[in-house]
Amino acid sequence: MDLISESQRVEPVNIEDEIKVSYLDYAMSVIIGRALPDVRDGLKPVHRRILFAMSELGNDYNKPYKKAARVVGDVIGKYHPHGDQSVYDALVRLAQDFAMRYPLADGQGNFGSIDGDSAAAMRYTEVRMSRLAHEFLADIDKNTVAFGPNYDGSLVEPLVFPTRVPGLLINGSAGIAVGMATNIPPHNLGEVAGGLVALIDNPDIGIDELMNYIPGPDFPTGGFILGREGLREAYHTGRGIIRIRAKAIVETGPRDTKKSLVVTEIPYQVNKSRLVEDIDTLIRDKKLEGIAELRDESDREGMRVVLDLKSTHRDSADTILNQLYRQTQLEISFGFNLLAVVGQAPRLLTLKDALSEFLSHRKEVVQRRTRYELDKAEARAHILEGLSKALDHLDEVIVLIRQSRNPGEARQTLIGRFEFTEIQAQAILDLRLQKLTQLEQQNLEDEFNSLLKDITLYKAILESEKLLLGVIRDETLALKDDYSDERRTQITATRPGDYNPEDFIVDEEMVVTISHSGYIKRNSLTLYRSQKRGGKGVTAAKTREDDFIKNLYIASTHNYLLFLTSRGRLYWLKVHEVPQAGRTNKGKAMVNLILLAENEKVATVLQLKDLTEPERYVVMATRRGIVKRVELTAFQNPRRLGIIAMTVGEDDELVSAALTDGQSALLLSTRGGKAICFKETDVRAMGRTAAGVRGITLAAGDRLVGMDVISMDRSEVLITVTEKGFGKRTPASEYNLQSRGGVGTITIKTTPRNGQVVGVLKVTAEDRLMLITNTGRLIMFKVSGVSVVHRNTSGVKLINNVDNGEFVVDVAPVGETDEDGVDKLENELDSETDNNSTLFY
C-alpha cells in the first residue's frame, strides 16, 4: 500500500539542472534587486527605499533633521529586510559630497571623509532629504508610477520613482553583480539637462552631437580628464577607459627660497590619506627624488597637499610631477561601464540610449500624471455641474430635502426629480449653507470655468506627443535653472600619458613686473588688492639702488608675453612660465629665461591673450626711423630660440614696438626734438623678415627715441622729457597728420640748457613717471604737476641739480591704477628709498 500522498511525492531532479536554475534565479535577484541601478531613476533598490522611507517620515529638506537610526529602522522594518549597517552605509554615501556629485541626503554630524574615515555610528548622526531628492519623488502621489507589496505584503512601495532628474548620469553608480558590473561616472546636471532638451528637440541627434552638450563626466572631486577618445568610445559603446589626473600647481615661496608642488584636487574615489602615505613611502624608499618635505594642509576650506622641493630640484617640478603621475594615484584609469537595468534585464547603454530611456520614462510619468489630474478635474467638474444645477432650482431642492424622511430618501428624490447622479446628489446634501451666498455661487462658477480650461489642456496633452514633450522640456529647463552649477572637472585634449604643464596651471590673474635692469617676476593680483586706500602698503620687490620697476602687466597665467629685442627678434613666454617670486624678491634676470645673443637686449614687451586674434598688428620702429607693421597672426608659432620679427641693419636697432588695431595713428619722436604723426595704414602689412619702410627722415646725428600709438582724433596728451631734466605736456592734436617719411615738426626746443630728448610718452593726468639718471638717482613725479604747453617750447624743470655730468637716461610710466583706484606700483616704491634715491610726489 502506497502511504505517500500525491502532494508528498518526491520527483527525481538532475542536480546539474537544479543548480543552473537556482543559480540563475540568485544571479537575477542580485542583478535586479541589489547591484545594478534602474535606468529610469538611476537608483538601486536600497537607495530608493531609503528616500521613500524618509519621505514617508516627513524628513524633508526644510524640516528638522532626524536621527539616522530612525531612518534606518524604518527602512529595514518596512521595506528592506537586510542588515542595518549595510543600509546605513548606503545612507551615508547619499550624504557625502565627495562621493555624490549631487548628494540626495543632507547629513549633520560625522559622515566620513575623503581620507577614508568612517562615519560616526547612526545613533550620533542626523539626516534629512536634500532639496534635489524631492525632485526624485515629485508627483509620486498622482498615480505616476506602479507600486508593489513590500517583503511581507503589509505595505506597498514604489517600484521606481517618477523622477524629474536623470539620476543615472548625474550621480552615476557602481556595483558588482553576478558575472557583470557597472561603473557609471557622475555628470554635470546642467549639461545632462541640456543634452536631454537637445534630444527632445531632435530625436535623430547623433552621439557626437550630444557630446557637444555633455562633453564628459564631472566628478565631485574635480581634477582633469585626459583626452576625448576614451569618452567618445564610452559614449558610443557603453564601455571605455578614461584617464583622470589630479590638479597640481607650482608655488614659489618668499624670496624665491623654495618651490612647492601643491595638489588641490585628486581623482574620483581616491583615498587622500592613503595617497599621501604612498607618496611618503616612495620618498622614504628613494624611488622619488627631489622632495624635501610632504605635508597635508587640507582643511574645511579645501584640499591642499604640499610637496616642498629640494633646492637642487627647484627647476625639476615638471619632471617630479610626471613621476608622481606614473607612480601614484594622482593619475588613475576609470573603467566606464554604462550597464543598467532596462525592463527587468541588464543592458549595456550608449549615451543616447540612457537619455532615451529616461525620456521614455518621463513620457509615461507625465501621461499618468496628466490622466490623474484629468480624472480629478472631471470628477470635480461633475460635482460643480450638479451644484450649479441645484442652485438654479434652489427653492425646489430645499423643499424636496425637507420633505424627505432621511438622507437616503432625499438622495433618491433628487436623482429622480433632477436626474442627478449619485455623486452629485450626495454633494448637494453635503453642501454647507454658506455656499448659498452670492459670492460663493460666483466662486463655484469661476472654479467650474477654470476646470473646463484645465480639462481641455489635459486632453490636448494626452492626445499630442508634441505637447507632452513640451511639458517635459519646460520641466527639464526649470530643473536646470534651479540646480545646475559650474563644471568641476576639466577635460583636456591631451592624449593619455602626455604631460602638458598648462593643464595644471590655474587660470588666474597675475601681476608681472619688469625692472629697468631686466629682472622679471610674477605674483598673484590679490597681493596688490589686499589693502584699502591709504594703507601702508607692502614691499613688492627689492631692487638695486640704480634699478626700479619699469613695466607692470595684469595678465592671466595663460597669456603670452612677447619679448622684442634690439636685433629685431621675437621671443615668447607664457605668464605662468615667469618665476613666481616672493613679494620682496627682485625676480629673475630675463637673460636666464630667453636666449639673447651677445649685445642683444630686450627693447619692449607686449602682453596679449591670443596670438591668433584677427585685425591685430605689431608695429615696430628702429633707431634710424624705420617702421614696420606685421599682422599678429604671423607670430602665432614662435620658437623658444626666437624668430625674426624685423630685419634690422647692422648700424641700427629696434627701440619700440606696440600692438594696434589697424585704425590708429603713429607718432615717432627723435632725440633732436622732432616728431612726425601719420596714419598707421600708411605702412602696409609686411612679412616677418621684411626690413620695413622709412617712417621719418632724420637729420645728421639724430635718432629715434620712441614710438607712440594714438587715436586718429589725437585726443591724447603726450609728455616729452629731456636729458637735463626738463619736460612738458602737449596735446596730441597739435601734431598734424603728415605723410610717412617726412622730416616731422618740432616737438620741443632742444638747447644746451635742456638737452636732447630722452623720451616721449602718452600719459593721463593720473599717471606718475619715473626718471633715472646716469648716477642712479630715481625721481618719481605726478604727471598732473607738469604744465600743458605748445609744441614749440622748451618745457619746465622736472628735477633739480642735474649737472656736473649727470643726465637723465630713461623715463617710464609707473602710475597705472586699478578699478579700486589703488596705485598698483605704490607698493613697489614704498620703503625702497636710499641715500642715492629721492622720490618726489
Side-chain angles (χ1 to χ4, degrees):
M1 182 177 178
D2 191 357
L3 299 178
I4 301 176
S5 65
E6 198 65 32
S7 61
Q8 296 175 315
R9 188 175 302 278
V10 177
E11 295 290 338
V13 176
N14 187 314
I15 187 68
E16 183 179 349
D17 294 338
E18 180 62 29
I19 290 175
K20 285 182 179 179
V21 172
S22 298
Y23 189 76
L24 184 60
D25 291 342
Y26 161 74
M28 290 304 296
S29 174
V30 172
I31 291 169
I32 305 301
R34 188 177 300 180
L36 299 187
D38 193 297
V39 70
R40 296 170 291 180
D41 60 10
L43 298 175
K44 298 178 183 180
V46 64
H47 300 130
R48 191 178 301 116
R49 287 163 178 167
I50 288 172
L51 293 178
F52 184 66
M54 293 173 75
S55 176
E56 292 292 287
L57 272 173
N59 197 11
D60 301 330
Y61 79 96
N62 54 358
K63 294 181 181 178
Y65 293 90
K66 294 184 184 295
K67 282 291 184 182
R70 170 76 184 279
V71 175
V72 172
D74 268 30
V75 173
I76 62 177
K78 294 180 177 179
Y79 309 113
H80 199 69
H82 296 277
D84 60 345
Q85 192 58 47
S86 65
V87 173
Y88 182 54
D89 289 344
L91 173 60
V92 165
R93 188 177 186 277
L94 290 179
Q96 291 176 334
D97 58 2
F98 55 87
M100 302 284 285
R101 182 62 178 83
Y102 299 93
L104 301 182
D106 177 12
Q108 184 169 264
N110 176 14
F111 276 79
S113 72
I114 199 169
D115 287 318
D117 301 318
S118 300
M122 69 182 79
R123 62 182 179 275
Y124 299 120
T125 57
E126 296 179 330
V127 72
R128 63 185 177 187
M129 297 171 67
S130 71
R131 180 166 168 256
L132 181 64
H134 287 268
E135 301 294 345
F136 280 78
L137 291 101
D139 303 319
I140 197 170
D141 56 345
K142 295 181 179 180
N143 194 32
T144 48
V145 292
F147 279 68
N150 68 337
Y151 64 91
D152 63 359
S154 61
L155 297 169
V156 293
E157 61 177 316
L159 303 181
V160 69
F161 280 161
T163 176
R164 297 176 182 174
V165 184
L168 184 71
L169 290 176
I170 68 160
N171 272 328
S173 186
I176 300 174
V178 179
M180 61 186 67
T182 187
N183 199 27
I184 306 169
H187 291 72
N188 185 277
L189 189 150
E191 294 175 353
V192 174
L196 185 62
V197 169
L199 179 63
I200 293 172
D201 293 340
N202 178 19
D204 297 324
I205 191 172
I207 294 177
D208 287 331
E209 293 175 83
L210 279 175
M211 288 183 68
N212 293 328
Y213 300 91
I214 309 174
D218 188 20
F219 298 106
T221 53
F224 293 88
I225 294 175
L226 303 183
R228 301 181 186 275
E229 289 304 316
L231 293 173
R232 189 170 290 108
E233 180 182 0
Y235 287 147
H236 277 80
T237 66
R239 284 197 178 98
I241 303 293
I242 59 177
R243 301 288 294 177
I244 313 174
R245 269 185 180 172
K247 186 175 185 179
I249 60 175
V250 179
E251 283 189 1
T252 303
R255 296 180 296 281
D256 202 22
T257 54
K258 67 177 182 179
K259 185 176 287 186
S260 305
L261 291 172
V262 181
V263 179
T264 57
E265 297 174 5
I266 61 175
Y268 183 53
Q269 296 178 332
V270 168
N271 184 308
K272 175 169 67 68
S273 179
R274 191 174 300 125
L275 171 66
V276 172
E277 290 177 8
D278 291 344
I279 296 174
D280 188 53
T281 300
L282 290 174
I283 297 171
R284 227 176 25 246
D285 295 344
K286 308 296 183 183
K287 294 181 180 178
L288 190 62
E289 300 288 341
I291 298 178
E293 184 181 0
L294 171 64
R295 299 186 307 279
D296 186 358
E297 299 179 355
S298 305
D299 55 23
R300 64 178 58 191
E301 299 299 325
M303 184 179 299
R304 183 178 170 86
V305 178
V306 182
L307 299 91
D308 292 334
L309 303 184
K310 294 179 180 179
S311 58
T312 55
H313 290 73
R314 267 186 270 174
D315 295 329
S316 305
D318 294 349
T319 303
I320 293 173
L321 194 55
N322 258 338
Q323 293 173 352
L324 287 168
Y325 289 140
R326 286 194 296 270
Q327 300 182 62
T328 71
Q329 285 194 307
L330 284 179
E331 180 178 322
I332 64 169
S333 293
F334 185 94
F336 200 124
N337 194 14
L338 220 170
L339 184 71
V341 175
V342 181
Q344 294 300 303
R347 178 179 157 196
L348 191 64
L349 304 167
T350 66
L351 175 63
K352 185 175 181 180
D353 290 339
L355 291 175
S356 298
E357 292 294 337
F358 175 76
L359 182 57
S360 297
H361 175 57
R362 283 300 297 161
K363 287 167 65 176
E364 181 181 353
V365 166
V366 174
Q367 282 177 334
R368 293 181 62 152
R369 182 187 68 193
T370 305
R371 193 171 293 112
Y372 171 87
E373 291 174 338
L374 174 61
D375 293 343
K376 187 176 178 180
E378 287 180 336
R380 178 62 179 164
H382 178 65
I383 291 174
L384 292 177
E385 188 177 14
L387 292 176
S388 178
K389 185 177 179 181
L391 291 174
D392 290 340
H393 303 84
L394 182 59
D395 293 338
E396 187 177 355
V397 167
I398 292 174
V399 171
L400 288 176
I401 294 175
R402 292 187 63 184
Q403 292 176 351
S404 301
R405 288 175 294 179
N406 53 58
E409 182 180 333
R411 184 168 53 251
Q412 294 303 320
T413 301
L414 290 173
I415 293 173
R417 173 67 181 84
F418 297 103
E419 298 182 349
F420 290 129
T421 64
E422 286 272 356
I423 295 174
Q424 289 175 329
Q426 186 61 48
I428 293 169
L429 292 175
D430 293 339
L431 187 68
R432 299 174 65 182
L433 291 178
Q434 71 177 27
K435 295 292 185 182
L436 302 180
T437 64
Q438 291 184 354
L439 179 62
E440 288 295 331
Q441 291 182 40
Q442 183 61 45
N443 289 340
L444 290 175
E445 183 178 347
D446 292 343
E447 182 185 358
F448 180 70
N449 293 332
S450 177
L451 284 173
L452 291 180
K453 293 179 182 179
D454 291 342
I455 291 170
T456 302
L457 175 62
Y458 297 148
K459 288 182 177 179
I461 292 173
L462 291 173
E463 293 170 359
S464 170
E465 183 169 351
K466 183 178 179 180
L467 289 178
L468 180 71
L469 290 174
V471 172
I472 298 172
R473 189 182 192 277
D474 292 342
E475 291 181 352
T476 302
L477 291 175
L479 184 79
K480 180 180 179 180
D481 292 340
D482 289 342
Y483 298 99
S484 65
D485 56 5
E486 294 296 323
R487 164 172 281 276
R488 300 181 188 177
T489 303
Q490 298 181 38
I491 302 174
T492 74
T494 310
R495 292 173 299 162
D498 287 350
Y499 172 68
N500 181 359
E502 194 166 300
D503 292 339
F504 309 98
I505 301 298
V506 177
D507 190 1
E508 61 177 326
E509 294 292 287
M510 306 296 292
V511 175
V512 180
T513 57
I514 302 174
S515 76
H516 179 263
S517 297
Y519 285 87
I520 186 172
K521 70 169 185 175
R522 67 179 170 98
N523 268 316
S524 175
L525 184 59
T526 56
L527 291 180
Y528 298 82
R529 292 182 177 170
S530 59
Q531 300 184 4
K532 299 292 184 182
R533 177 188 291 274
K536 180 181 178 181
V538 293
T539 302
K542 289 286 187 183
T543 55
R544 300 182 309 175
E545 294 178 359
D546 59 346
D547 198 7
F548 64 94
I549 302 299
K550 183 177 180 179
N551 298 103
L552 179 144
Y553 303 94
I554 307 296
S556 163
T557 48
H558 292 180
N559 282 16
Y560 292 90
L561 293 177
L562 302 184
F563 299 85
L564 288 114
T565 72
S566 56
R567 300 309 307 156
R569 294 186 67 81
L570 181 141
Y571 301 82
W572 71 283
L573 288 175
K574 281 296 188 75
V575 170
H576 66 75
E577 295 174 320
V578 175
Q580 185 170 355
R583 286 193 299 103
T584 58
N585 192 290
K586 66 182 179 181
K588 181 173 283 190
M590 284 192 287
V591 294
N592 294 326
L593 299 177
I594 55 179
L595 301 177
L596 298 176
E598 188 177 357
N599 298 324
E600 186 180 21
K601 62 183 179 180
V602 175
T604 190
V605 181
L606 306 177
Q607 181 263 131
L608 69 161
K609 185 172 184 64
D610 188 1
L611 291 173
T612 61
E613 289 185 41
E615 303 301 325
R616 293 292 300 276
Y617 298 87
V618 177
V619 180
M620 294 161 278
T622 73
R623 183 179 61 185
R624 296 182 63 82
I626 303 299
V627 293
K628 176 182 175 181
R629 190 163 68 114
V630 184
E631 289 187 10
L632 177 61
T633 53
F635 303 112
Q636 62 183 314
N637 294 309
R639 292 187 289 273
R640 292 291 180 178
L641 297 179
I643 58 175
I644 296 174
M646 179 179 187
T647 300
V648 179
E650 290 295 329
D651 59 344
D652 200 1
E653 66 177 11
L654 186 75
V655 296
S656 183
L659 286 168
T660 71
D661 59 3
Q663 304 297 323
S664 302
L666 303 177
L667 182 79
L668 306 183
S669 305
T670 76
R671 181 173 171 78
K674 289 294 189 74
I676 187 171
C677 184
F678 55 87
K679 295 179 182 179
E680 172 190 348
T681 51
D682 288 352
V683 182
R684 63 177 179 82
M686 308 174 195
R688 286 193 301 104
T689 58
V693 296
R694 185 168 301 282
I696 185 171
T697 299
L698 299 173
D702 200 3
R703 65 180 177 85
L704 200 71
V705 294
M707 175 187 68
D708 286 284
V709 178
I710 59 178
S711 60
M712 291 296 293
D713 61 5
R714 305 186 305 289
S715 57
E716 296 85 354
V717 175
L718 303 166
I719 190 167
T720 304
V721 179
T722 67
E723 60 187 1
K724 291 298 183 66
F726 282 75
K728 65 172 183 176
R729 283 192 293 162
T730 306
S733 57
E734 292 198 12
Y735 298 85
N736 294 326
L737 289 173
Q738 302 179 18
S739 298
R740 174 185 59 79
V743 296
T745 57
I746 295 175
T747 187
I748 191 172
K749 284 186 175 181
T750 57
T751 65
R753 176 173 170 266
N754 62 0
Q756 301 290 298
V757 175
V758 174
V760 179
L761 302 174
K762 180 174 62 177
V763 293
T764 66
E766 291 77 24
D767 284 344
R768 290 184 176 130
L769 291 186
M770 175 73 76
L771 306 186
I772 184 170
T773 71
N774 61 327
T775 62
R777 200 152 55 104
L778 303 179
I779 299 95
M780 188 175 76
F781 61 91
K782 294 181 178 178
V783 169
S784 58
V786 181
S787 302
V788 179
V789 295
H790 297 293
R791 288 188 298 104
N792 196 13
T793 56
S794 57
V796 297
K797 184 169 288 190
L798 302 179
I799 61 174
N800 295 316
N801 304 322
V802 180
D803 51 19
N804 297 325
E806 185 182 22
F807 54 88
V808 177
V809 295
D810 202 359
V811 56
V814 293
E816 296 183 9
T817 57
D818 62 17
E819 60 270 20
D820 297 324
V822 180
D823 291 311
K824 291 173 181 172
L825 282 176
E826 190 168 329
N827 292 336
E828 278 88 330
L829 298 170
D830 88 302
S831 70
E832 295 303 323
T833 60
D834 52 47
N835 293 332
N836 297 322
S837 301
T838 306
L839 302 183
F840 296 96
Y841 286 86

